[in-house]
Structures are given as C-alpha cells and as structure tokens.
Amino acid sequence: MHTTAKSLRHLAIIMDGNGRWAERRGLPRIEGHRAGVQAVRRTIEQCRELEIPHLTLYAFSSENWQRPAAEVSQLMRLLRRFLKERKKDLHKHRIRLKTIGEIERLPREVREDLQAAVAASREYDRGTLILALSYGSRNEIVRAARQFAEKVKSGQADPSELNEETLAAGLDTAGIPDPDLVIRTSGEIRLSNFLLWQASYAELWFTDTLWPDFGKRELTEAVEDFNRRHRRYGKRG
Ligand code: IPE
Ligand code: IPE
Ligand code: MG
C-alpha cells in the first residue's frame, strides 16, 4: 500500500537517543550524533516523498547548553557540516530553511552559516525545514510576552489586544501551522520543553528506537498510525 500523509501538514520530531546508540556500541557520543545526522537526511528525504510540507527537528534545546563544552562544540561543528552538505539538496528540492530558538546564543560562525542558508532559501516553497536550535518552549513564550509588553509600553498596543492569535504571532513559529504529529524516539515519554504551546492538539507518537536507527519503515508506521486517528478537538466525534 502506498502511504500518503494528506492531512499531515506539520511533522515535528524530538530526535533523542544518539548518546545511548553510541554507548551501546562502545563508541564516543559524537559517533551517535554523526549517525543521527544520517537519520536526519533520510527523514528529510522521506518527508519530501510523503509531501509533508513542514518538518521541524528538535536539534538542540535551551537546556542542552548545560552539557559538557566538548559535546556542545562537537554538535555545533556537526551542524555547520550538515548545512554545508545539505545546501545543494535543499536548493535542488526548493526547500525553505527556518530556525526557531535563541539563535543569537549560537557561536558566531554557526549563526552566520545559518543566516546565510535561511536567506538563500527564502523564496523556496516546496517544503519547509525548521531547525529548533537553542530552543525552549517556555523561553519562546516569555520572549513573545515580553515583545507584546514592549508594544504596550510604547503605546502601540493595548493589553486587551493580547489573545491567542496575537501571542502566537510573537512566537518563533509565527506563520507556521501547528504541528499535527510529534514523534519522539528513544523511549522517553516526555516533551522536554518542545513546542508546548503549538502542540496543544498534536497527536503524539513514541518509539523505543534510538534516533540513529530511525528509518523509513518506522516513519511510514507513524504516519499510517496518524492517518487512523480521530482528532476531535474537544468536540463530539
Ligand atoms: C539527542 O541525543 C541529541 C541531542 C539532544 C542534541 P542525546 O544526546 O540526548 O542522546 P541520549 O539521550 O543521551 O541517548
Ligand atoms: C531533547 O532531548 C532535546 C533534543 C532532542 C534536542 P534531551 O536528551 O535533551 O532531553 P531530556 O534531557 O532527556 O529531557
Ligand atoms: Mg537525550
């Protein structure tokens, strides 16, 4: 049977388990992150095949800054290499790159590479790849609230104008539809500060598979499972 993802406009993935994948093989954690990049490549390709318009990947959380400096810098290096290696492909398939999170906290070289890649793909419209980097949902909501408060302070807005729509317009995800499906790998059943506002009505899908082992068969399974679900949004079914 040919799988399609007709009502799946936005897939978001918490890519977890790289470290454990490496540890189980007696390898340094960085090897797990490297293998994780291959899983990212496969996933982007499959989302294109399935015609899923928006894909968000949780690549680095606000809390991940608390990891050892060596691991953080290895991850930053991998990110730069990923951008360099995927550049042609994103261009070829006209995929727009966006980021969410506190990008200004990233090292300057990484930030510059990212900004260049985002700018170069601005006009593309066949799909959107959103990288969550230095991203934390609570921090994002606080920044949006602060932005609105500044507008009130300067007389550009009135407190009564703050509602779900105007708050969402200040989030990093402004203009991107809410995720329909959130997948987390590695057996952890939690959101870890990911898209808390946006995933209010997302379908959740968990697997024990470690991120580097996540492949096409499993994504197909998740999408087929999603296709069978009934989304009621609080209404009668
Ligand atoms: C996910 O893998 C990648 C990042 C969080 C950057 P982990 O590095 O969290 O892997 P585990 O959870 O330790 O196995
Ligand atoms: C969540 O994974 C963040 C990313 C996948 C980037 P973590 O490994 O950081 O989450 P916790 O610590 O298990 O909650
Ligand atoms: Mg983890």
Side-chain angles (χ1 to χ4, degrees), residues 14-16 58-61 64 67 184 188 190 192:
I14 304 172
M15 313 182 287
D16 200 11
Y58 202 7
F60 194 83
S61 75
N64 289 150
R67 293 192 180 192
R184 183 171 188 148
E188 311 296 352
R190 56 174 169 261
S192 301

Side-chain angles (χ1 to χ4, degrees), residues 17-198:
N18 294 350
R20 278 163 283 170
W21 184 92
E23 278 156 23
R24 279 179 203 175
R25 286 167 174 73
L27 298 168
R29 291 177 64 86
I30 180 68
E31 293 304 328
H33 295 311
R34 268 202 198 110
V37 175
Q38 296 312 309
V40 167
R41 192 183 45 71
R42 289 195 293 272
T43 303
I44 295 172
E45 191 180 294
Q46 194 179 358
C47 284
R48 200 174 66 235
E49 290 163 6
L50 290 168
E51 298 180 36
I52 297 172
H54 302 273
L55 169 66
T56 297
L57 299 174
Y58 202 7
F60 194 83
S61 75
S62 313
E63 290 73 27
N64 289 150
W65 289 115
Q66 295 165 60
R67 293 192 180 192
E71 184 174 350
V72 171
S73 57
Q74 283 169 336
L75 282 167
M76 294 300 147
R77 234 172 306 167
L78 266 187
L79 172 60
R80 286 188 80 192
R81 188 176 317 149
F82 167 82
L83 289 172
K84 207 170 152 194
E85 286 175 0
R86 301 269 51 91
K87 198 176 165 182
K88 259 199 199 138
D89 227 45
L90 294 179
H91 174 70
K92 181 174 161 202
H93 297 288
R94 310 195 69 77
I95 294 171
R96 184 170 178 181
L97 183 73
K98 286 188 177 181
T99 62
I100 56 172
E102 285 189 297
I103 298 309
E104 56 286 358
R105 284 186 74 183
L106 299 172
R108 189 174 49 81
E109 327 79 75
V110 181
R111 203 173 56 230
E112 286 174 358
D113 285 358
L114 266 172
Q115 285 164 341
V118 167
S121 70
R122 202 172 295 268
E123 303 298 323
Y124 296 163
D125 53 9
R126 295 241 187 98
T128 312
L129 171 65
I130 301 134
L131 298 179
L133 292 163
S134 189
Y135 177 84
S137 207
R138 288 184 169 185
N139 164 274
E140 179 193 32
I141 293 167
V142 167
R143 285 188 284 111
R146 190 181 296 144
Q147 195 184 27
F148 191 85
E150 290 291 349
K151 277 194 190 167
V152 171
K153 192 179 165 195
S154 64
Q156 289 170 272
D158 186 83
S160 64
E161 287 165 349
L162 185 61
N163 54 37
E164 291 184 14
E165 216 172 303
T166 51
L167 189 99
L171 297 174
D172 298 343
T173 50
I176 301 165
D178 284 343
D180 299 296
L181 175 63
V182 175
I183 293 177
R184 183 171 188 148
T185 58
S186 90
E188 311 296 352
I189 316 290
R190 56 174 169 261
L191 291 174
S192 301
N193 208 7
F194 186 52
L195 301 176
L196 300 182
W197 172 284
Q198 298 88 340

